[in-house]
Every structure is written in C-alpha cells, then in structure tokens.
C-alpha cells in the first residue's frame, strides 16, 4: 500500500472519533421505570403519631351527606416516578366512614376511622392515617 492511502485512512479514523465525540453519541435508557419510594398525606390538619398520622375532623349530623366529606391530599415521591396511582385501603364494613377512589372520605357518623394510602404497584409503600370524627 502506498503511504498516502495509510495516511488518508488514519485521518478519516481520527476525524470520525472527533465527529462522534463532538456531537455526543450518548446512550440513554428507553422509558426507564422509576418506582415510588414514599407516600405522604399533605393535609394541613395532619398530626404525627407513632406509626401513623391522625386527623381530627368534624361531623355535623344536621348537614346532608354530601357536605360531610373530607378530602385526603397526598403526594407520591419521587416526583418523577412512573406510576403515582394510589389505592385507599379501609374497612369496607365501617359504620363511621368510607373512601372513594379520589380520596374523599364520606363521613357517616362520629368515631374513629383508619385509612391506608398505598401505591398501586408496590403496596408496601404506604401512609397510615387515623381519622377521629367528632360531632359538632
């Protein structure tokens, strides 16, 4: 081979390395799954206890059922996790209250009511809340 061909191949090789380095051919993961690590109840009335949080709310028997509702507010961490959907676990036979899929607690009478907010995928990620509904 002639000396000029070897030099041309070398120049093209070095130019391709510089070109790839300059335009940043980097590898990225396609659609990475980020799992939830924590769920937190963010209502202003939340008070911490040992292994759960509690909320004092009021029940007014003179009001219609549509007005005896308490909205649970929550946040799933990390903020960029793939699935932020939660489920509300509670005693379905409770005479005190019930919870819908949107976190609204429908109060039926005064008493104590427990709700656990769990991640839809990893149900070990959870926040336990005790409600104490006091009559007005």
């Amino acid at each position: 081979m002639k000396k000029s061909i070897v030099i041309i191949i070398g120049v093209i090789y070095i130019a391709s390395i510089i070109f790839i380095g300059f335009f940043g051919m980097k590898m990225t993961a396609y659609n990475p799954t980020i799992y939830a690590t924590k769920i937190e109840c963010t209502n202003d009335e939340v008070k911490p206890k040992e292994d759960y949080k509690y909320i004092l709310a009021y029940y007014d028997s003179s009001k219609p059922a549509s007005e005896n509702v308490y909205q649970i507010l929550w946040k799933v961490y990390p903020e960029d996790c793939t699935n932020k959907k939660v489920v509300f676990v509670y005693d379905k036979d409770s005479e005190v209250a019930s919870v819908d899929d949107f976190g609204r607690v429908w109060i039926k009478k005064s008493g104590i009511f427990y709700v656990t907010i769990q991640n839809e995928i990893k149900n070990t990620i959870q926040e336990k809340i005790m409600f104490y509904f006091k009559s007005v």
Side-chain angles (χ1 to χ4, degrees):
M1 260 202 308
K2 290 186 174 181
K3 196 176 193 182
S4 61
I5 294 177
V6 174
I7 292 173
I8 291 173
I9 292 173
V11 168
I12 292 172
Y13 179 74
I14 291 172
S16 65
I17 291 174
I18 293 170
F19 180 80
I20 290 172
F22 180 75
F23 288 107
M25 301 268 301
K26 66 177 185 176
M27 201 166 107
T28 57
Y30 177 73
N31 240 355
T33 302
I34 301 170
Y35 292 104
T37 57
K38 180 182 174 184
I39 296 175
E40 180 181 30
C41 180
T42 59
N43 291 72
D44 291 336
E45 304 85 9
V46 172
K47 306 278 190 270
K49 275 287 199 192
E50 295 134 18
D51 60 339
Y52 60 89
K53 293 181 178 176
Y54 78 93
I55 295 174
L56 173 64
Y58 295 95
Y59 169 72
D60 189 349
S61 59
S62 66
K63 290 184 178 180
S66 61
E67 293 184 25
N68 278 311
V69 178
Y70 186 89
Q71 178 65 52
I72 299 173
L73 304 175
W74 69 92
K75 202 168 201 180
V76 180
Y77 296 99
E79 303 251 341
D80 61 342
C81 71
T82 305
N83 188 343
K84 291 186 177 191
K85 293 182 182 174
V86 297
V87 292
F88 299 93
V89 180
Y90 64 98
D91 180 11
K92 307 277 190 228
D93 298 326
S94 175
E95 295 178 4
V96 175
S98 63
V99 183
D100 65 14
D101 294 338
F102 303 104
R104 292 181 298 220
V105 180
W106 299 88
I107 308 165
K108 300 174 189 174
K109 68 178 198 174
S110 60
I112 295 176
F113 182 67
Y114 292 93
V115 177
T116 302
I117 309 170
Q118 292 182 339
N119 183 256
E120 186 180 62
I121 293 177
K122 294 179 82 176
N123 60 8
T124 55
I125 308 300
Q126 59 187 9
E127 174 85 307
K128 297 177 183 177
I129 306 165
M130 181 196 84
F131 285 93
Y132 176 56
F133 299 119
K134 193 174 183 180
S135 290
V136 194

